[in-house]
Amino acid sequence: LDPVAGRTLDDQATELPGDRLVRAEAAHRLAWSFTRVAGKEREARDWYRKALTLDPNNPYHLAGFLEQEAYSAREHGFAAIMRATLEQAIGVCHEHVAVGIELPRAYFTVARLLLLLENFSDALDAYVEGLRIVLAPDAPVLEGVLDEEMEFLRRINAPHGLPVRHEDVRRLLELARVVQNPTAGGESPRSHLAGTG
């Protein structure tokens, strides 16, 4: 990924828009990989910044960048001064939902951005919509997707414990994990919970 994400162009080279998006996605994935390695916070921040620079209107790159910034700063209050940017990103995610792409990622990204803006009720609603997709009876098992949301909560609140409203989200995700992986031999509650409203 590094040669793709970090490629620089000489004066004669022409970069197609699609190439730039591929580089942004590669940078995003590199950034994510560095978040899983102790002591690599600076590298993670640099690559998230690179992804966002290459594709500034991508809400998923923005959410990753903000998560890393919150983890590095040990607080996420700064998100409030970026409200207009976050609301624009939420709008892009809703456009993706409307056309049926980036699901359930779009819902979970909306939820993350709303949590950063301290709009807890709407964040929970977005998580529920994302979980409907993950827990639908015919849905493929998306390994690690719920763990990623748990990790987001932990990282934006490090090194403190989760505030009460974030605990509500954690409990919802824990319940979803139980539904996704019920104990062997029992009836799966998946079909019951996926359709509730």
Side-chain angles (χ1 to χ4, degrees), residues 34-99:
F34 279 120
T35 67
R36 292 339 193 227
V37 181
K40 294 293 184 178
E41 290 82 7
R42 181 177 176 183
E43 289 85 345
R45 291 178 79 185
D46 289 347
W47 284 113
Y48 274 129
R49 189 175 289 115
K50 176 85 167 180
L52 198 55
T53 299
L54 289 167
D55 190 5
N57 296 318
N58 186 308
Y60 313 109
H61 298 338
L62 175 64
F65 173 76
L66 293 176
E67 175 186 341
Q68 185 60 36
E69 288 297 301
Y71 181 73
S72 298
R74 296 300 194 254
E75 64 93 24
H76 57 270
F78 63 86
I81 66 173
M82 301 176 62
R83 178 173 295 275
T85 301
L86 271 64
E87 288 176 347
Q88 182 179 6
I90 289 168
V92 172
C93 289
H94 284 306
E95 291 172 8
H96 290 175
V97 167
V99 296

Side-chain angles (χ1 to χ4, degrees), residues 97-116:
V97 167
V99 296
I101 61 172
E102 295 286 0
L103 299 174
R105 187 184 190 193
Y107 279 124
F108 289 151
T109 299
V110 167
R112 290 179 177 205
L113 296 175
L114 288 170
L115 279 180
L116 290 172

Side-chain angles (χ1 to χ4, degrees), residues 18-193:
D19 294 339
R20 191 175 181 87
L21 298 184
V22 169
R23 290 174 59 212
E25 188 61 33
H28 182 96
R29 291 173 187 268
L30 269 173
W32 177 87
S33 70
F34 279 120
T35 67
R36 292 339 193 227
V37 181
K40 294 293 184 178
E41 290 82 7
R42 181 177 176 183
E43 289 85 345
R45 291 178 79 185
D46 289 347
W47 284 113
Y48 274 129
R49 189 175 289 115
K50 176 85 167 180
L52 198 55
T53 299
L54 289 167
D55 190 5
N57 296 318
N58 186 308
Y60 313 109
H61 298 338
L62 175 64
F65 173 76
L66 293 176
E67 175 186 341
Q68 185 60 36
E69 288 297 301
Y71 181 73
S72 298
R74 296 300 194 254
E75 64 93 24
H76 57 270
F78 63 86
I81 66 173
M82 301 176 62
R83 178 173 295 275
T85 301
L86 271 64
E87 288 176 347
Q88 182 179 6
I90 289 168
V92 172
C93 289
H94 284 306
E95 291 172 8
H96 290 175
V97 167
V99 296
I101 61 172
E102 295 286 0
L103 299 174
R105 187 184 190 193
Y107 279 124
F108 289 151
T109 299
V110 167
R112 290 179 177 205
L113 296 175
L114 288 170
L115 279 180
L116 290 172
L117 290 174
E118 299 189 355
N119 185 339
F120 302 113
S121 177
D122 288 348
L124 274 173
D125 288 346
Y127 268 122
V128 167
E129 292 304 320
L131 291 172
R132 281 185 200 276
I133 295 168
V134 172
L135 301 178
D138 58 346
V141 175
L142 301 173
E143 293 293 337
V145 67
L146 300 180
D147 293 335
E148 286 296 314
E149 298 311 310
M150 291 284 213
E151 183 68 359
F152 169 78
L153 288 175
R154 184 192 71 78
R155 283 170 54 79
I156 67 168
N157 289 294
H160 320 290
L162 300 188
V164 173
R165 296 296 186 89
H166 290 202
E167 274 291 341
D168 292 342
V169 174
R170 185 195 62 78
R171 283 193 290 271
L172 176 66
L173 293 170
E174 286 285 6
L175 176 60
R177 276 211 273 211
V178 171
V179 172
Q180 189 177 46
N181 298 303
T183 55
E187 181 188 359
S188 170
R190 224 175 138 132
S191 58
H192 301 297
L193 288 189

Side-chain angles (χ1 to χ4, degrees), residues 2-9 13-15 19-20 23 47 50:
D2 196 343
V4 175
R7 183 169 62 93
T8 56
L9 302 175
T14 301
E15 183 176 45
D19 294 339
R20 191 175 181 87
R23 290 174 59 212
W47 284 113
K50 176 85 167 180

